[in-house]
């Protein structure tokens, strides 16, 4: 399936980028750590990991990465998990540097503090595109953000039981509140690779 | 599966999210805001920072819970706090 000869970058300013890289290598694609603008050259897609979005913003601003990342994102797929999703969004209801690419607004720490972090099984119909396994996706939410509104042209991929949005896609941009890289389940990564190879 | 909180995975996961970042020792909400603005991934709410303890002597104690709450209100990043080893009532307060 998808993945052959793909070069995927993982934003490695801070956070759990190593887990994303491990998953990508497991799927047989080339995974590259991205800390500088020139490291975006020649990539087919980019994953922005979990971590602290305020720290991403600070480091990306200091290293002149905001504009190069925006330009990259206009051409190529980007997937943000947790803090990465916040960084991809157009609004996080507070003053912090964001890429402002994807037409979603997010609420940081929407479920409360770390004591409220949780795991739950989610129904994600879109994953049927990459796998015949019709089992729920085990989602891990750590001080997770919530996608509290989506613009036109944004497709909701997953909701919690109470209807709140935790995964969305807009064209070649993907945002998830939870951490597929912390599970052994590669389906979300496969889904992103499929998006990437379609774009290539 | 029902929603589960406080699992090993979410606890270990938080540590994974903090990787590659700096956790700053802070004493006041003002310090915490400076740390957040400077890009810290988390703050540790202490009664005194280690340098002051070394300079003035004495033991490292738990911060005033009121102060910890104020620091938690001041920033959007995680706040950690410590208590004295064996002082389980302090731990329960935290």
């Amino acid at each position: 399936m998808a993945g052959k000869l793909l070069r995927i970058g993982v934003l490695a300013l801070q956070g759990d980028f190593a887990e994303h890289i491990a998953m990508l290598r497991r799927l047989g694609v080339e995974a590259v750590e991205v800390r500088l603008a020139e490291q975006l050259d020649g990539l087919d897609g980019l994953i922005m990991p979990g971590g602290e979005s305020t720290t991403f913003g600070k480091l990306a601003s200091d290293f002149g990465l905001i504009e190069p990342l925006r330009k990259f994102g206009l051409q190529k797929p980007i997937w943000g998990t947790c803090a990465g999703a916040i960084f991809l969004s157009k609004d996080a209801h507070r003053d912090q540097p964001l890429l402002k690419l994807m037409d979603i607004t997010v609420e940081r720490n929407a479920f409360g503090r770390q004591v409220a972090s949780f795991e739950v099984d989610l129904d994600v119909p879109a994953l049927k595109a990459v796998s015949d396994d019709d089992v729920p996706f085990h989602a891990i939410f750590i001080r997770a953000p919530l996608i509290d509104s989506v613009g036109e042209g944004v497709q909701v991929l997953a909701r919690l039981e109470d209807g709140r949005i935790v995964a969305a896609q807009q064209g070649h941009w993907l945002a998830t509140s939870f951490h597929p890289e912390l599970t052994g389940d590669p389906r979300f990564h496969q889904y992103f690779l499929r998006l990437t190879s379609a774009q290539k | 599966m029902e929603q589960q909180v406080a699992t090993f995975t979410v606890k270990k996961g938080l540590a994974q999210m903090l990787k590659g970042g700096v956790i700053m020792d802070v004493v006041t909400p003002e310090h915490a805001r400076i740390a957040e603005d400077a890009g810290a991934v988390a703050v540790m709410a202490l009664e005194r920072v280690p340098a002051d303890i070394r300079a003035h002597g004495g033991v490292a104690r738990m911060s005033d819970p009121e102060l910890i709450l104020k620091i938690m209100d001041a920033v959007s990043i995680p706040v950690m706090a410590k208590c004295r080893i064996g002082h389980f009532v302090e731990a329960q307060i935290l």
Side-chain angles (χ1 to χ4, degrees):
Chain A
M1 74 140 267
K4 228 178 171 184
L5 300 172
L6 285 179
R7 253 171 81 86
I8 306 291
V10 181
L11 190 65
L13 295 172
Q14 188 267 319
D16 73 333
F17 53 87
E19 286 75 3
H20 273 292
I21 288 174
M23 182 71 94
L24 289 170
R25 293 198 173 140
R26 206 182 113 191
L27 293 172
V29 300
E30 193 180 343
V32 186
E33 291 181 10
V34 175
R35 293 190 178 82
L36 300 169
E38 53 265 33
Q39 291 167 332
L40 291 168
D41 294 344
L43 296 179
D44 299 309
L46 180 75
I47 297 178
M48 302 197 293
E52 279 302 320
S53 60
T54 48
T55 306
F56 289 5
K58 174 80 185 165
L59 291 172
S61 304
D62 285 2
F63 287 94
L65 264 174
I66 302 266
E67 270 314 303
L69 283 172
R70 278 183 54 85
K71 267 190 205 136
F72 180 86
L74 292 173
Q75 313 282 330
K76 299 284 173 66
I78 297 190
W79 171 23
T81 59
C82 194
I86 298 169
F87 202 43
L88 188 60
S89 74
K90 67 163 192 191
D91 187 9
H93 307 301
R94 68 196 292 283
D95 184 25
Q96 67 179 70
L98 301 170
L99 296 186
K100 298 183 192 285
L101 284 171
M102 196 165 162
D103 193 7
I104 54 172
T105 64
V106 296
E107 187 191 346
R108 291 182 60 204
N109 299 332
F111 300 93
R113 310 197 72 92
Q114 169 66 1
V115 288
S117 289
F118 63 99
E119 301 176 47
V120 75
D121 283 344
L122 285 181
D123 191 28
V124 190
L127 294 180
K128 289 204 186 82
V130 292
S131 167
D132 295 331
D133 290 350
D134 198 11
V135 291
F137 193 89
H138 186 66
I140 299 166
F141 292 81
I142 297 168
R143 298 178 65 255
L146 193 66
I147 301 170
D148 56 13
S149 77
V150 299
E152 256 178 69
V154 180
Q155 182 195 354
V156 173
L157 297 184
R159 293 176 188 270
L160 292 174
E161 239 171 26
D162 59 14
R164 292 185 290 177
I165 303 168
V166 291
Q169 178 179 353
Q170 179 181 9
H172 60 239
W173 299 318
L174 201 59
T176 56
S177 304
F178 47 92
H179 294 281
E181 73 279 13
L182 297 183
T183 66
D185 190 337
R187 283 178 293 165
F188 251 102
H189 287 78
Q190 286 168 333
Y191 187 80
F192 180 68
L193 293 180
R194 191 166 174 271
L195 208 65
T196 309
S197 51
Q199 186 86 14
K200 195 175 173 176
Chain B
M1 191 196 78
E2 286 296 296
Q3 187 167 314
Q4 291 181 308
V5 296
T7 60
F8 178 72
T9 305
V10 298
K11 292 178 184 187
K12 191 181 80 170
L14 177 67
Q16 286 170 291
M17 297 314 139
L18 298 176
K19 286 194 295 192
V22 173
I23 300 172
M24 289 294 295
D25 288 348
V26 301
V27 176
T28 65
E30 181 55 20
H31 291 174
R33 271 190 291 269
I34 294 169
E36 181 178 40
D37 290 344
V41 293
V43 293
M44 181 83 70
L46 302 179
E47 187 236 351
R48 290 182 295 172
V49 298
D52 289 341
I53 295 172
R54 271 196 291 275
H56 301 119
V59 296
R61 304 189 62 213
M62 187 178 108
S63 276
D64 179 351
E66 285 289 326
L67 196 61
I68 296 172
L69 288 171
K70 283 183 190 151
I71 291 172
M72 286 162 65
D73 285 342
V75 293
S76 67
I77 55 180
V79 177
M80 308 178 186
K82 295 173 177 176
C83 68
R84 288 172 289 167
I85 292 169
H87 289 248
F88 65 88
V89 177
E90 288 185 355
Q92 285 168 333
I93 291 170
L94 289 180

